[in-house]
Structures are given as structure tokens and as C-alpha cells.
Amino acid sequence: MKKLAARILGGLGGAALLLLPAAPLRAQALAAGAAAQTAPPAAPAPPGRANVKIEITGLRGGAARNVRTVLRLARAADQGDELPTGRIRQLFEGADDEIAKALEPFGFYHPRVRKTLTPGDGTWTARFAVDPGPPVVVRAVNIHLRGPGAADPAFQALAHAFPLRPGDTLRSLPYDTAKVALLTLASDSGYLTAAFDTSEIRVDTLADTAAIEVRFETGPRYRFGAVTFDQTILDTNFLKTRIPFHRGDWFRQRPLMQLQANLAEDPYFSAVEVLPHVELATDSLEVPIEVRLTPRPPRLYEGGVGYGTDTGPRGTLRATFRRLNRHGNHAEVDVTGSLIEQSVQTQYTIPAFLHPTGELSFVAGFALLNPSTSSSRTWLVGPRLSRRRFGLRETFSLIFQREGFQIGVDSSTAVLLTGGASWERTRADNRIFPTHGLRTRLDLTGGYRFLIFNATFFQARLSGKFIRSLGARTRLITRAEAGHTFTGVFRSLPPTLRFFAGGDQSVRGYGYEALGPRDQFGDVIGGPNLLVGSVEADYRVLPRWAVAAFYDAGNATNGWSLSLKQGTGLGVRWISPIGLIRLDGAYALNPPAEIGASRWRIHFSMGPDL
């Protein structure tokens, strides 16, 4: 028998495909069959350029898609390229080999191709009728694990779950995926020198069978060593609070990624690079970790102007003091001015408080709020403690609040000691214009009447927003919000603790906070209950422009009568350099309560979707 010819595939770990040639008579028969199925060359046509139309029959599924991807003539046709006619003939003649190559990953090694090339006026048509032939069937699968990790249940599970078994059609994708899974598990589990000693597929082209041989050497399992920080601006002991593992723990990739995320989320550094040095591992197999940090400027001043139909013209100023000492304390001052709000808020934060991700903040603020339904003057001050837990941002607060207000016929001053807790989770593939994203938030707030504090209440508020891609250009956006206030003195609560609906971020087609229970004079005074929902779909017509259609429903009520107000409309989205800008034309499906108010309303807003 002739000498085996080896061909290296490109799989990870140097996988080799060994082909056992067919007998000479069979090879001659295959060649004769291929020649008989190939049409004679097309008649000469005048030189020039032409487009190409491709027709491929006899294949389906992934095999058909891969042939069209590999076939250079098909790629040119799909892109609408106009080619010299000589080049079309050249690509047509070489199509047989490309089709054969494209079918090999699916286990077909003896395809027969009938093809014709028909010149036309400006467009040539290439037709390929493909008979993939018999598939190569896996005859034997041998997976051998060696080294200190060979008995690890996780490796054993992958070996037993190898996706190709005797009797299966040979396919390269599951084979390569299984090898990647072994290497990934090794890297994630600390077997940092793991490698394939052997990984090959031996194909007998005479019998159309294949044997798979994989020998995987895990090598030793490493542990985390000492962590060093390449920076000079912060105390090393503070930076160590960001390390989510201990020296001597088994080496894993996830804690390294968490270390990088912890430092990147802090305000101190513009770049974070975490480098495990396996080559410097000690005799105890401890890998030293180097963290290179690029500091941000210590102070940042920002300003902005904008416009929204809820707020009118507005301006903001922010000063951020990123590091006030070597322990990482930082502070922010925010100033906001618009037709309905003038406010100042300050926050001083102590990081790594009680927990590596814990933050103790002291907040103080003042606000003048003048929406169309109320006016209030609010002072607040108090501590806030937050940390990450179970994938959520958890926050507890105790705020002293003094708010003088007038709403409808109610005019009073509320003095409250408010305890609060919230849990929030946000996930998005892109913060400005995500195609997949989710945001959920639960807020619990309460106060008790004693001493100088004049109201007892408990309030729960749950909100969520979900974004999902429905194709390359279309997104579905849904949001919902519900809230309830338990109290016997609702009219004593200030406007900031009452529920309203209507506006850009609520029910479009209605004015800002224009929906809710009314007093005997018809003034909106807010309610103890809130229910709002929205469904929106947008379609990207250009890289930075999209059109949208939406339907909103909701209201603030005294009970749960579900007397929801509804609005619908169309909008335009611009992914601008400064963020997402929305312009909506909305129609109120229920008559607005305001005398003389139009059912049509323009809404303009800007900011990220999540």
C-alpha cells in the first residue's frame, strides 16, 4: 500500500488529518466520473466585464452556506462585484476544488460537481449541481487524558461528552469545539501548561471511515502568587482590597478578570492591565501577578447643556475629585438648572468600607422643583452604604429630608427620616445603543412618625427594561414600572414621594407628570399607586440613524382600577457623538384632562437606553 500522506488542518493543538488514498482503480473511476459530470467549456464571449449570478443545487443547511462562503465566484456575486470576463472563467474553472474543500468539514470527501457557465448581456450565470457523495463515518474515538489533572471530574466529563462517537458523520466543527473546551477548562482551572500531545483524524478514503485520536496532557496545576501593583498614587494596602482571591488559591481566570473589573470600575485609573507571569512561577507552582495601572487626572470638570420636553432647556455642571487621599476617598459636586429644577448635590465617598466592593457615602443636597403640578423646596442629608452582592448593586441609606411643598390645595412642610434599600442590575452589550440588554431595579423606602418626624409610610417600586435584537437592524424594547405606597396620611407626603405618570420616560402623548389622581379643583396631586408599561421597536436605516414605533400605557391611581392612559407614535433615533438622541411624535389615545390640550405631543430626550 502506498505511503500515507499527511495534511495539517489548522485546528488547535496541531490537529492532523491523515488521508489513506483510494486504490488506483477507484481513483481512476472517480476521475472519470468527475470528468463525465463536468460540462464542456462555455463558448467564447467578447472580452470585457460582467456581473455574476450563482445557482447552487444539491446542498442544504450548513454545507450549502459554507460552499457559498468559500466559493470565490459566489462571494463576488453576493457583493455585486463586476469582474473581467477572463477572471470569471478562471474562478469558474477552480470552483471544483473550492467546493470540495468547503464540504470536507461536513464529512464529504468525494463530491461530484456538474457545472455550466452561461455568458449574458452584462451578467453571466454559473450553475453548480453538487452531489456531495457518501459521508465519512467515524469508526473509532480514543480520548486519552494524562498528567496531574487527568482524574479531575471536570476533565473526565468533557472526555465522556466528546461530541463525535462511532457511527457519527465526521464533522470538524464539533471536533474543534471539543478541543477548545479542553484548553479553556485547563486555563480556567490553573493547568496553565496544558497541551495536546496528539490530536489527529485518520481518514480512510477507500472505506469512507475515520478514526479520531486525542491525547491531552494537563501538566501541573498552578496557584495564585503575590500580586504587585505598578503605580504610585494610592496606598498598596487599599489596592489589595480589590483582589478577589488569596495567595495560594488555585489559579483561575475568572478571579483575574474580576480583579481587572474592580480596578476599572474605580475612578482612579484610565487603563488596567493584569499580567500573570507563568514563566516566573516558583517551585510551589505559585504564579506572580503584575498589575499595571495608568492613573487618571486627579480632578475632572464637566459641563453640558440640553433640552427635553419634560424639562425644557437645561444645563449641568459637575466637579469630580477622583482621589482626595492615598486611601482612595473621592467626591462629586453636581449642579443642575432647568425650568422645573434647580439643584445642588454633593457626595463624599469612602471606598472599601466593610467589604472590598463596599462604599460609604455622605450625601447632601438642595433642590427647587417646579413641575406644572407642584412646587417644593427640599433639603436632604445622610449616609448611604452600597456594595455588590449576587451580581447586584445593593444600597442602604438613611436620609434626613425637609421638604416644603404646595400641590393642589395641599400646602405643608414634611420632615422625614427616611430609610431606603435598593437592588439594581444592569447588563448591556453597548451602553449607548445596546442590542441586548437588561436593567432591573427594586426600591424600598419608609419612614416612621416620631419626635419631629411627621409621617409614617412604606413605599415599594419595581422597574425593568429589556432590549433584544430581532435581526441585524431591528430591536425590541420593553419597559415596565409598578409602585405602591402604604400610608394613612398620603396628603402629608411631599410630591417627591408621590407617584405621577406622563412624559418622555413614562406615557408619551401626555405632559410631564400630567397623569394621576386629582383634587376637588381638578389639580393633579399624584397617587399612591403606579403602573406603566411600554413596547417599542426600532429599525436602523443608517449606521447612526433609526426609526421607531411605540405604544405606552400607564397611570398613577388611588386604587388598582387599571384606568390606564394610552399613547402611541413614531420616532427618530440619532446615535450622536454625545449619546443617543430621541425625537418622538406621540398621540394620546385618551383625551388629555387639561382644557384645550392637544392629543398630539412632541417628545425630545437624550441619554442611554439603559
Side-chain angles (χ1 to χ4, degrees):
M1 185 174 288
K2 293 184 178 180
K3 185 179 180 181
L4 293 178
R7 182 165 41 143
I8 302 300
L9 284 183
L12 291 172
L17 178 68
L18 304 182
L19 300 178
L20 182 61
L25 289 178
R26 166 138 181 175
Q28 294 171 11
L30 288 174
Q37 300 296 332
T38 303
R49 303 179 69 87
N51 291 315
V52 186
K53 179 181 177 182
I54 302 295
E55 296 179 5
I56 302 174
T57 59
L59 300 174
R60 62 183 180 180
R65 290 191 294 271
N66 202 47
V67 165
R68 198 164 189 100
T69 299
V70 172
L71 199 61
R72 287 178 293 171
L73 197 58
R75 293 205 301 268
D78 292 342
Q79 295 169 6
D81 294 344
E82 191 178 67
L83 300 176
T85 56
R87 178 60 173 164
I88 294 175
R89 291 181 179 279
Q90 182 184 28
L91 294 178
F92 178 77
E93 292 302 321
D96 301 71
D97 290 339
E98 293 176 344
I99 292 173
K101 180 180 178 182
L103 291 176
E104 284 184 6
F106 299 89
F108 299 105
Y109 287 81
H110 307 305
R112 298 182 180 184
V113 181
R114 298 195 309 270
K115 60 182 183 180
T116 60
L117 180 62
T118 306
D121 186 10
T123 300
W124 289 30
T125 302
R127 295 181 176 88
F128 300 93
V130 182
D131 175 6
V136 170
V137 176
V138 176
R139 175 177 52 83
V141 178
N142 296 306
I143 310 297
H144 303 282
L145 300 176
R146 299 177 178 178
D152 189 312
F155 284 113
Q156 289 290 330
L158 283 181
H160 291 307
F162 196 82
L164 292 176
R165 299 179 180 277
D168 291 346
T169 296
L170 177 63
R171 291 167 294 138
S172 63
L173 181 58
Y175 172 79
D176 291 335
T177 300
K179 290 173 58 182
V180 169
L182 283 169
L183 288 173
T184 301
L185 175 61
S187 176
D188 289 346
S189 304
Y191 297 93
L192 302 181
T193 57
F196 290 97
D197 178 71
T198 301
S199 59
E200 65 182 21
I201 303 174
R202 300 173 61 90
V203 177
D204 185 338
T205 58
L206 178 62
D208 286 325
T209 60
I212 297 174
E213 185 82 14
V214 175
R215 295 189 181 94
F216 187 69
E217 175 67 48
T218 69
R221 192 177 188 185
Y222 290 81
R223 298 178 182 271
F224 284 117
V227 180
T228 58
F229 296 93
D230 183 8
Q231 58 86 46
T232 58
I233 62 172
L234 293 175
D235 185 88
T236 300
N237 289 328
F238 163 67
L239 292 176
K240 287 180 179 179
T241 65
R242 277 24 197 161
I243 303 175
F245 53 84
H246 298 91
R247 182 172 183 173
D249 289 350
W250 292 119
F251 186 100
R252 295 183 181 275
Q253 294 294 336
R254 181 168 293 182
L256 280 186
M257 296 172 63
Q258 187 62 56
L259 170 60
Q260 185 175 36
N262 290 346
L263 292 167
E265 289 176 1
D266 285 336
Y268 319 112
F269 307 108
S270 60
V272 178
E273 191 175 8
V274 179
L275 304 173
H277 291 291
V278 182
E279 72 281 4
L280 301 179
T282 63
D283 293 339
S284 58
L285 299 177
E286 290 189 348
V287 179
I289 309 298
E290 179 188 7
V291 182
R292 297 177 183 174
L293 301 167
T294 303
R296 285 186 169 130
R299 290 173 293 277
L300 174 66
Y301 301 97
E302 299 174 286
V305 295
Y307 179 86
T309 47
D310 286 352
T311 62
R314 64 175 180 264
T316 59
L317 293 174
R318 169 178 287 188
T320 303
F321 305 92
R322 291 187 171 120
R323 52 182 191 272
L324 298 175
N325 56 31
R326 289 183 58 81
H327 300 291
N329 293 12
H330 54 276
E332 292 180 354
V333 179
D334 287 279
V335 180
T336 300
S338 71
L339 296 179
I340 67 169
E341 176 185 358
Q342 300 85 49
S343 65
V344 178
Q345 180 169 315
T346 63
Q347 178 172 298
Y348 184 94
T349 301
I350 302 172
F353 188 83
L354 300 179
H355 187 269
T357 65
E359 291 184 343
L360 176 63
S361 300
F362 296 94
V363 298
F366 171 75
L368 288 174
L369 304 177
N370 295 283
S372 60
T373 55
S374 65
S375 63
S376 63
R377 179 188 297 261
T378 305
W379 298 87
L380 58 85
V381 63
R384 180 184 297 145
L385 179 64
S386 70
R387 61 173 285 186
R388 283 199 305 271
R389 195 207 301 257
F390 309 126
L392 305 169
R393 171 56 67 173
E394 179 182 69
T395 302
F396 299 99
S397 62
L398 186 64
I399 303 296
F400 171 80
Q401 177 177 338
R402 187 181 190 278
E403 183 169 343
F405 65 91
Q406 181 172 352
I407 178 169
V409 297
D410 298 333
S411 179
S412 183
T413 297
V415 181
L416 306 169
L417 184 63
T418 302
S422 69
W423 294 266
E424 183 174 15
R425 179 187 179 97
T426 301
R427 295 289 184 271
D429 58 356
N430 183 299
R431 293 305 299 270
I432 295 178
F433 197 82
T435 57
H436 291 77
L438 174 67
R439 184 192 67 212
T440 55
R441 182 180 175 94
L442 172 64
D443 289 279
L444 303 177
T445 307
Y448 186 73
R449 181 177 180 177
F450 73 105
L451 299 177
I452 63 172
F453 308 111
N454 55 15
T456 297
F457 73 97
F458 176 78
Q459 187 175 91
R461 187 169 190 161
L462 177 64
S463 62
K465 193 170 187 179
F466 177 78
I467 299 176
R468 181 64 62 184
S469 172
L470 297 180
R473 295 173 176 262
T474 306
R475 299 188 308 163
L476 177 67
I477 304 171
T478 59
R479 59 179 168 87
E481 186 173 9
H484 180 66
T485 305
F486 301 88
T487 183
V489 289
F490 178 78
R491 301 287 285 267
S492 298
L493 296 181
T496 54
L497 291 174
R498 303 186 186 192
F499 290 124
F500 300 85
D504 301 343
Q505 307 301 316
S506 181
V507 184
R508 285 164 285 189
Y510 303 86
Y512 177 60
E513 294 191 350
L515 299 179
R518 299 174 179 269
D519 61 15
Q520 60 267 38
F521 297 102
D523 296 319
V524 178
I525 61 172
N529 301 317
L530 176 70
L531 187 62
V532 173
S534 174
V535 177
E536 179 175 320
D538 61 33
Y539 179 79
R540 195 183 296 204
V541 294
L542 293 170
R544 288 189 171 272
W545 290 89
V547 293
F550 59 86
Y551 168 80
D552 300 341
N555 207 350
T557 60
N558 286 320
W560 293 108
S561 62
L562 295 181
S563 57
L564 303 181
K565 303 297 184 180
Q566 303 170 72
T568 188
L570 302 174
V572 177
R573 308 288 179 260
W574 178 34
I575 311 171
S576 76
I578 61 173
L580 183 62
I581 295 178
R582 307 173 190 84
L583 178 64
D584 291 322
Y587 178 75
L589 296 175
N590 305 102
E594 301 92 334
I595 297 176
S598 171
R599 289 198 180 198
W600 291 98
R601 183 174 290 270
I602 299 297
H603 293 277
F604 179 85
S605 62
M606 60 187 302
D609 282 318
L610 294 175

